[in-house]
Amino acid sequence: MPVQHYAWKPKKVNYSLDEKEREAKLTKLRSNEYHPLKPITVTESSLVKISSGEGHASNSENRSTKSHSSSGKDFIDPLSMLSIEDPLTSATKVTKPSKAVCVKNEDEIKEDLTSSDVSWMDWKLDVIPRHTTDQSLANSMMSMVKSGKKDKPGRNVQVSSVSDKLRDRLGQLDEFSEASVQEMLNLSQQDFMNRIHSLNLTLTDAWNTNQKVKSLKLTIQCAKLLVDASVMQFYPSKFILVTDLLNTFGSLVFDRIFSMCKGMDPNNIIPEEVPESAKEICLNWILKIASIRELLPRIYVEASIVKCNEFLKKDQCKSNLIRLNAMTRGIGNPLVALYARTYLSYIGMKHLPSCKGHFKSCFYDFVVTYKQMYTTPIQNLLAHQKINMESYLSFYTPALQWILSCVSHNAHDATLTEVLEKCNTCGNNLVLFDSCISSFSSEYVAARALVLCAAVSKSDDKLYPKFRVLKSLGKKLIETEPPSGDKLTILNETWKMLVKVRNPRDYINCAVVWVEYAAKYFTHKETNTVLADIIKHMTPDRVYEKFSVELQTVVVCILTHMPDFRSIFTMDKFLSFFDMFQKDGQRVTVCKIVAEYFIQNQEDTNQNASDATTISGLMYVCRTIHDSINALSIEDDITSASSLICGVLLKINFGKDFEQQLSFYVECRASFSGLDPVLATLVHSVNQLSGKVTKIVKGKHTRKTSAFVRACAAYSFITIPSLLDSATKFGLYLESGQIALISQCVTQSDAMYRAGLGTIMDLVNLPAKPSLENPFLSHVSNFLSSLLTVPDNTEQGVLFLLRSFLNIISESGSQIRPDISCAIYIKVLSLLTAYSQDHTDQQIRTLQQSSDTNRNLRRVEVQLAQVQERKNTLQDLNTQLQNRNNELETERVGLLSIQDQFAPLQRNHTQLQRDFSAIRQQLLTLQAQHESLRGNYTKLGRAKNCSDVNKHLPSCAVIRQWGYTTSGHAMIDPDGQGGVKPFMVYCDMDTDPTTGITVIQNDIQPNRTIQGCDEPGCLRVAVNYAQVSMLQIQALMSISLACEQKIRYDCLDSKLLKDGTAWWESRDGERMNYWGGAAPGSGKCACGMNSSCYDARERCNCDADVERWLYDEGYLRDKSELPVTALKFGDVATNRGEMGRLTIGALKCKWNANMSVPSCAALRRAGVVGTRVYKVDPDGPNGPIQPRNLMCQLPAYTGDFSATSTDTGTAVVVQTTDPDLYVFSDCGQQPGHVGPTNNLCNSTYTGSNVHVRVERGVQLWRVPRNGRYHITTKAPGGYHRIVNRTARGAVASGEFHLRGAVQMKILVGQRGHMFGGSGGTFVIMMDGEYTERPLIVSGGAGGAAAPNGGTNYGISDASITSDAKSGSVTNNMGGRGGTNGGGGEHGSSSGGGNTPGGGAGYMRNGGNSPDRRFRPLPTPAYATKGTNNPADSTAPGTGGTYNYNNRATYNGGFGGGGSGAKNAPGGAGGYSGGGGGVVDGFSGGGGSFVDSGRVTNHRIEASNRGLGEVRIRYLGESLIINQEMRENN
Amino acid sequence: MATIEIKLNKPNKVYHEGEIVTGAIIVESKTSLAYQSVSLTAEGVAALTLSAKSVGRLESMYNSVKPISLFGHSIELARQGKIPAGTKSIPFEIPLKPHGSIKWLLETYRGVYISVQYNIKCLLKRPLLNKDLTKETEIYIEYKSGDRANNKPIKFNINPNSIKNANSQAEIPRFSVRGRLDSNVCCLTKPMTGELVVEASENPIRSIELQLMRVETVGSPDGFAKEATEIQNIEIGCGDVCRGLGIPIYMIFPRMFACPTVDTPNFKIEFELNIVIVFEDDRMISENFPIKLTRF
C-alpha cells in the first residue's frame, strides 16, 4: 500500500441543527447518572440521612414505649428493650431467654391475629419479658415442695382407707407417674422453659404416635404446675408457657375430631351432621377430663377443649364457659384464680368473641375476691417471699388488663362505665383503675380523663403507686385528645401528683409520658415549665446519669410533637436539658436525634430559616456531632455525622440575605473543618449561592454583586484544597471554575482551572467502577468540555489551558494507559474541532454576554485577536498532529516492509498447498489400491492377506457382520488382544444366511476305517484339530452362542454304545455315553430318542449288531463337552469281519454373544439350552425390522428335526416390551398331556409383565384393572414333520370388558405326542368363587396319520364353530365330533386295536379309547371345566394318554387332546372335542367358542401352526365397567 | 392365618331390651378354610361376689354366690362347609329378651362385687388338628324406660352443730357452710349441680371435694354384705376459698362406674354423695347425701 498523507480539517458543525438532537440526549440522562454540575454528595447525603433518621426515630420511639410499660422494679431484659420492627423478630428477640415460647409463638401468630382484635400475642409479648426472674426457682420452690410433702401423708392415709384398689384406678390420671414433671420442681427458670418446650414436643409426639392418654396426662400435669404460685415473679410467664401447651393440646383434640367431620366449616359446626363416632370420641374426651380430680387442672384442660363441645350441641361452648367461669370461684389463691379467668377469657375471645357476658362476670368475680389478698395466708406468703404489696399487685395487672381488654372489646360505653363504677366501690382500687385505663379504648378514657384524674387523686396510694395509673392515663390521652377545656386542668392535676413522687425512676417514667402530653397539646410555654420541673427533679445527686434513656425519650417526644423548631429552641430549658447528658456518647446521640428531626421535619425552609436562636441551637447541635468525630471514629460514624451536618446546613436558609448566608458558610467552614463531605457541601452551597446571585441580577453584576460572587469564588478556592479526596477536589474545581465563569470572574475561573489541572494527575489511578467508563477519562472529558467555554487568558496566550493539559498528558508517560491516552487525544481533537467552528454556541454566548454587559470594545478586539490567535495555534497544533501522523505513516511503512518479508512465506504456503494436494492425490490412489486389495482378499480368501491386520476379529460371525460374505480362511482372535493367540479357521459364509460359521477342521479323514480288536474301548482314535490348541477352541466356544460337531459311525456287525463298547471323550477327556443327535447323558443314539432304531429294542441302529451296514449319526451340541478329543471303539475284530467307519465333522460355531439371532427357534435348533433374553432380528441386521429383546425359553432339543426344518415350535417367546400386552404361553411345557407347573411358568415369565399362579396346569391370572381388553387365543397346530401339512389350530380373538382383579383361568393348549390330538386354548373368567364363564376358546388342530411324512392321509384344521369336527370318515369309522361343549367320540378300528380317543370338550370328557392291549390302559381326555369333582386327582383339561407297548407314547395334548394310537390320530381338544380318527385317517379339529354376549369384534380362523398362546392386550378404559361400578356403589 | 371377628351394626354397642342385635361374623383367611360349624352364643350374667371384709376371707373364697343368668341365646350359623380364601361375612341376629323368670334385662354394670355383663361369643369349629377360632365381644344394655330424675332442690347447712359423730364438739373449729343440691334423684347422663357457700371459717380451708360413693349390697345365706366404694372424687374448691362467694357444685357421673340404682332381691346398687371439706390442718368434715341415679 502506498503511504497516504491526510490533511487534518475540522468538521463543520451546525449547532443549531444539532440542538434538538442533543436535547433529546440530555433528557435521556437519568437522575443518577454522573453529571459534573450535579451536586452528587448532597443528594446522597440526604438519602442516607433520611433512612438512618427513620431507624433512629423508630428505635427511640420504641424505647420510649418500652420504658413506659416497664415498671421500676421489674427485671428488664436488655434484649427485649431493643426495637420491635416486626412481630416475628420481636418474638425472637424478646423471648430469647425462653425458646419454648418463641417456637410456639410463631405458630400462633396467625391464629391470634386473625381471631380477635384484642391480640393475645401482643399481650404475651408484653408479659413475658416483664415477669422473669433471674433467681433460680429451685430454692423457693424446694421449700414449698418440702412443706407440701410434709402435709400430704396425713391426708393420704385417710383417703386411702376408702379403697386402695379403686383409688389406684381413679388416680391414674392424677398421679405424677411421669418423672419428667416431678423434676420440674428443681429447675431454674431457663431450665423450666426448656422443659416446658420439650414437654410440648413430647405432647405432640405422643399424640402423633397415638398415645392419646399419655398426652392427656402430660397436659394435666402441666396444668397442675399452675397451682403452685410460690415464685410469683415468674407466675405470669409460667402461665403463658403452660397455656401455650394447653392450646396445643386443645387444637390437637379439636383437629382430630374435626377431621372426622368431612366438609364442615370449623366456625359453624352443625352438631346434627357430626358422625356418631366423632361424637363418641368427643364425649369420651369430655368425660375423661371432667373426672380430673383437681380443680385447677380440670378448669384449664376443660377450657382448652371447650370448643369441642360444639360437636355435641349448639351453643354448648358458651354455657360451658360460663360454668367454668363459675368454677374458678373455688380457687382460693386470688392470683391463681385471676390467671385461670384470664385463660378462660382468652378461650372465650378465641372461640366466641361475640359472647360477652362471661368476661364481665370474670371481672366481677375477681372484684369480689379482690379483698382476699389481705387474708393471712396470702400475707404470710408475701412475707415469706419478701415481696411487697406493690410488686405483688403488679403481678395482677397483666391478667387484669387482658380481662378488661376482653370486656372492653367492642363494648358499649355503658358497660365500661359500669365496670368503672364497680372499681370505684371497692378499696385499693388504683390497680383496677390502672388496668381499666390501659385496657379501655382511648376515646372513652379521654372523655372522662378529668373524672378519672380526680378519682385517682382521691385514692390511697399506699399499696399501689399512683404514678403507674398516671402513666397509663397519659398514654391513653396521647392517643386520643381529651376535651379541649379539660386539657390544662388535667395537666395541672396530674403534675401536682407527679411532683410528689419521690423516687426519681418512678418520676421520670411517668414524666416522660406527660411531657409528651404537654408537647402534643400545648405550646412551648407549658412544655418549658414541664421541662424545668424535670430538670429540677433530675439534677439532685446527678441522678440524671442513670436515666439517660428516659431523658432521651423526653427529647424525642418534644421533637415529635413540636414541629416548630423555633419554639423548641426558644424554650430556655431545652438546651439546658442537654446539660443533663453529661456523657459524650449520650449527648452526641441526642444531638443526632435533634438533627434528624430537623432534617426530616423542616420541609418549609423559609419559616424558621434565619432565626438566630434556632441557628445557634442547631450549630451547637452540629458542633457537638462534629466534635464527636476524631481520628479513631469508624467510617460509618463519620458518614452519618457528615450526612447529618450536611442535611442541617442545607436546610438553613437565609432567604435573600446572601451576605449573611455566605458568612454563615464561612462560620461553618471554621466549625466543621474536619469533615470532607461537609466542606464539599459548603463549596456546593456557595457555588449555588453565587449562581443564584448571578441569576437574580440576570448576568448584569453591580459592583456589590460582583464583589459578592468574587468572594464566593474566593471561598471555594480557599476551601477546596483542604479536601482530601482528589476526585471531589477536581470536580469541585471544575464546578467552581464554571460558576466563576458564569459569574464573570474570569480570572478566578482561570485560577480554578489551573488548580484543577494541577490535581488532574491524582485521578489517573482512580478505581474504575463497573459498567462505567474509566473515571479518569470521564473526568478528563468533563474538563475538556468545560474548557470549551473558557475564554483565553490574555497574558498566557491562546489555548493555554489546553496546552498545559496536553503537556501534562504527554509528560505523564506510562502512568496513563495507552488506550486511555488515545481516547484523550481523540477527545482533544473533538474539542479542537469545536473550537475551530465559526459559530459556536457556548462560547459566543458567554462572550456576547460579557461584551454586552461591559460594552468594552477593547475586550472584543482582544477576544477577536484571541480568536485569530487561536486559529493560528490551531494551525500549529494541526502541524503537530500532522507530524504525529507522519510518524504513524513511518510505522506503517515499516509494517509494509514486514509484509514484504511475508511474501516469500506466502509462496512457501502455496507450495505447501500444492504438495498437500499431491499427497492427497496419492492418498486417494492408495485408497483405491486398498479397496482393490480388500476385494482381492475377499475373493481369494487368502488368509495371508489378513496377517498384516493387527487386530483380528473374534469369530467368523463377526467377520460376516463386518461385511465379508465370501467363504474363506481367516485369522480370528476370539478373546481379543492378549489371551490366546490368533489362529486360522475356515469361515463358512454360505450355509447360514444370517451368520458366519466358524469351522475348525480336524485330522480325521471321513469314513476312517475302524478295525482291529474286540474288547470294548480297545481301539482309540485321537482327534486333533489342525494347528489349533484346545485353549483357542475353548475361547471360541465361550464367545459363540452355539457349536456343533457332526459324528457318524457306520457299522458292520459292530456294536456302538451297547455294553459300553464304544464311546467318545469330551474336551476334558471324560467318557461320554451318548451319540450325536441324542440328549446329553441319555445313553442313546438319535434313533433311540424316538424309538425308531433298526431294532426297536435297542438304543442305536448299530447296537442291533447285525451283518449289514447300518449307521448312527447326529450332531453333538453341548458346548460344555465339545469338541470330541478322542473316540474308543470295540467289537471290531478283524477276524470276524466286523468293522466300522468313523466320520467326525468339523467343529462349527455360530453367533457371537451379544449378536442378534434370527429367531428363538434357530437357537434351539442350534442346541442352545436355557432361558435367557436374546436380541432377535428375524431379517438380519440389515433388514427393515428392528431387533427386539425377547426371552427365549429353550428346552433341551431332543427331537429328530433336521437342521433344515423350519419348525417354529421349538422355542417360546415370552417377553414383550409392551406394558399393556400380556402374553401367556405353555411355559415351554409342550408337548404332553399335562400342563405346566407353577415354577416353570414363573421362571418363564420372569422379567415379563405377566404374573400367574398355576393350579394344575391352569394359569390363574387377575385382570390388572378395569378396562377393555383384546384377547387372542391360539390353539397349537397339529403334529407333522412337514410344516405345510400341519393341521391348523384355531385363532380366536375379540374384545371384552373386564373388571379389575377378576380372576381369569388361562389354559394354553399343548401339542400331543406323535398321534395325540392337540389341546384347545381356553380363557375362562371366574364369576365369584366357583362359577366359570368361558370367554373365548380356540380349538386344537386335529392329528394326522403320518406325522413323519410319507403318505398324505389328509388333515383336519380346528373348527371355527363351537361344534367340533369329526374324524376322517373313511369307512364311516371316524368318531363324531362333540357339540355344544361335549366331548368327541373315539375313533374305531376293527377289533378294538389302534383306536384313538376323542378330544375332550369344555363340559364333557372325550371318548376313551377302548384299546386294552397294552398297559397302562389309555385314559380319556378330561373336560376342561374346573368344577369337576375336586376329589378327582386328574386336572381339568388333561389330555388322554396312550402308551404303545411301552415303546412310544401317543398322549394327547394338554387342553383336552385325545390320545392317539399307532397310525391313528386322537381327536383335538376345544370347546367341543374333535372326534378320534382311524388308522391312516385324520382326526377331527376341536371346536372354538366366543361368548357372544360379552364379545365385540370377534374373529375366529383356523390358521395357527405354531404353539398355543394367549395374548391379552389392554385397550383402554371401559365405560361399561365404570358405569357398573358406579351403580353397584 | 385365619381370623374371625364379630362386627356389630351399632358402633357404640349399646342396646335396649327388646331390640335385635344385628351384625356379622367376618372370617378372613388367606387360604380356603374348612369348618365343621359356626355357632354364636349370647348370654347375660349377673355375677356376685362376697366381699372379704364382710364375711371373712375364707368364706368369700368358696362361698361365692351363684351367678344369675339373665339372658341366653345360641344359634348355629352354618353347618360343615368350606370358606374360600378371602373375606367372608356371615350375618346374624339376636333378639334381646330376658330369660325365664327374669322380668327385665338389667343394665350392664361392672362393680367390685357385682357385675352385669352381656357377651356375644362366636365359635368356628374346625376339623381335627386345627385350632377352633373364637371371638368374644361385649354389648351394653341400657334401660329403655324407668324412673325420671326430679328437680327438687335439697338445702343443707354444715357447721359444728350439724356434725354428729365428732368426738368432742369443742375441738371442732368454727365454720359455717351452706348450700344446695339441685336434686337427689339424678340422671346419669347429666351433671349433678348445686351451689356451696363458705360463709365463715376459722381455720383456712385447703380444699372442698365432692366424693361419689357406691354402695353394693349382696344378699347371701348369712345375710347381707354391704360394701361402699369411692368411685369419683372431684375437687370444687382449692385453697382458702373466698368467703360468701357461691362455688358451683358440678360433677359428671363416671360412665364406667355409675349405673342406675338397682334394687333386686339378690343384690342392690346404691349411690351416695359426700361433701368433704378439708382444712389446712388436715381436719376433714364430710356430709353424706344418699342419691338415686336414674337413666332418665
Side-chain angles (χ1 to χ4, degrees), chain A residues 618-633:
Chain A
L618 286 171
M619 283 304 280
Y620 167 76
V621 166
C622 291
R623 260 198 295 277
T624 317
I625 297 173
H626 176 260
D627 294 347
S628 72
I629 302 295
N630 54 36
L632 294 174
S633 305

Side-chain angles (χ1 to χ4, degrees), chain A residues 151-152 154-155 158-159 162-163 165-167 169-170 174 227 276-277 280 283-284 286-287 290-298 302 320 323 326-333 341 365 368-369 371-372 375 377 1329-1330, chain B residues 11-12 53 82-86 110-112 195 204 206-207 209 211 213-214 228-248 250 252-255 257 276 278 280 282-284:
Chain A
D151 292 347
K152 263 187 179 165
R155 174 155 157 54
Q158 289 179 347
V159 176
V162 181
S163 162
K165 197 174 160 193
L166 203 68
R167 232 196 99 67
R169 221 184 304 170
L170 285 167
D174 296 347
V227 179
E276 276 304 315
S277 52
E280 190 66 15
L283 197 64
N284 259 329
I286 288 169
L287 290 178
S291 67
I292 296 172
R293 202 190 81 82
E294 286 173 40
L295 179 63
L296 198 69
R298 192 167 68 239
E302 268 196 72
N320 267 298
R323 175 176 61 77
M327 274 162 68
T328 55
R329 294 178 189 177
I331 303 169
N333 188 330
R341 290 184 182 117
D365 277 353
V368 174
T369 58
K371 56 181 184 287
Q372 251 188 302
T375 56
E1329 290 285 337
Y1330 301 115
Chain B
N12 63 358
K53 281 180 204 141
K82 198 168 180 186
I83 298 171
R110 220 173 294 134
V112 184
E195 199 183 46
R206 175 183 288 162
S207 74
E209 290 161 18
Q211 195 177 29
M213 303 292 288
R214 180 178 61 194
T229 328
E230 180 196 85
I231 55 171
Q232 183 162 282
N233 191 326
I234 291 278
E235 200 179 52
I236 57 164
C238 98
D240 196 16
V241 298
C242 190
R243 309 289 186 263
L245 192 64
I247 300 168
Y250 180 87
I252 292 177
F253 294 104
R255 274 214 284 197
F257 304 111
V276 184
V278 187
E280 203 55 60
D282 285 332
R283 260 178 234 268
M284 204 168 79

